[in-house]
Amino acid sequence: AQSVTQLDSQVPVFEEAPVELRCNYSSSVSVYLFWYVQYPNQGLQLLLKYLSGSTLVESINGFEAEFNKSQTSFHLRKPSVHISDTAEYFCAVLDQGAQKLVFGQGTRLTINP
Amino acid sequence: NAGVTQTPKFRILKIGQSMTLQCAQDMNHNYMYWYRQDPGMGLKLIYYSVGAGITDKGEVPNGYNVSRSTTEDFPLRLELAAPSQTSVYFCASRDSGYQETQYFGPGTRLLVL
């Protein structure tokens, strides 16, 4: 069965500093990977996804993630964070057999002014 | 499109009471899911459905029941509420295919006392 590990439960950073949220997945022949964001008191929404092709994928608000097959990782990065990025971030992999997402435990990103 | 809608937003139940959490989507998606989210625990899949009339258990189905009589609706039933079912419940839907985005509802916060 697929599994996802998010290595940090909480990440505090200062505004305008860079950030990396780490995600590792269990190895598989082919994987489809996702990052979801949950702003306070809201549901989850898709941030970005890797399906195939370029290993670097980007979101519209400056986040990017790189698929690294040899390290089975899909880390999320942003070069300069803003207060509005305060949220919980979930990494997920698609279980293709059952057509369902398997989520990591989540990483709470806190931005300090 | 309204997307995925959930009712109620918040509910307090007494131990042993029953209730139904409603979920509806207007995107004609085949796949629908129910998750629960507890602090620091990520999302746990309760039940899911791959189409009308077809449901299957997720990781934590005990104490819950579902039905899928139409494509649009996927209600979650709690028969005998227990304090362990205090949680935030999210419904989600997606279309068929690995590339499809999963959309989440705003959540139902349930407190069992």
Side-chain angles (χ1 to χ4, degrees), chain B residues 3-4 9-10 21 29-30 32 37 51 55 60 62 64 69 74 78 95:
Chain B
V4 181
K9 290 184 179 179
F10 176 66
L21 283 67
H29 286 169
N30 290 324
M32 295 189 74
Q37 183 180 30
T55 62
V60 290
N62 291 344
Y64 307 94
S69 57
F74 190 40
L78 282 71
D95 209 344

Side-chain angles (χ1 to χ4, degrees), chain B residues 43-88:
Chain B
L43 286 95
K44 301 292 186 185
L45 182 65
I46 305 172
Y47 271 96
Y48 66 104
S49 168
V50 300
I54 306 169
T55 62
D56 208 347
K57 295 178 181 179
E59 300 172 78
V60 290
N62 291 344
Y64 307 94
N65 277 301
V66 293
S67 59
R68 184 96 181 269
S69 57
T70 66
T71 298
E72 295 77 19
D73 301 298
F74 190 40
L76 178 71
R77 179 84 177 162
L78 282 71
E79 291 293 350
L80 291 169
S84 61
Q85 294 178 305
T86 293
S87 189
V88 181

Side-chain angles (χ1 to χ4, degrees), chain B residues 23-43:
Chain B
C23 173
Q25 52 93 7
D26 61 357
M27 298 172 281
N28 202 34
H29 286 169
N30 290 324
Y31 295 88
M32 295 189 74
Y33 309 85
W34 273 107
Y35 297 89
R36 59 177 288 171
Q37 183 180 30
D38 302 301
M41 302 296 289
L43 286 95

Side-chain angles (χ1 to χ4, degrees), chain A residues 6 28 38 76:
Chain A
Q6 291 184 244
S28 181
Q38 183 181 30
L76 182 69

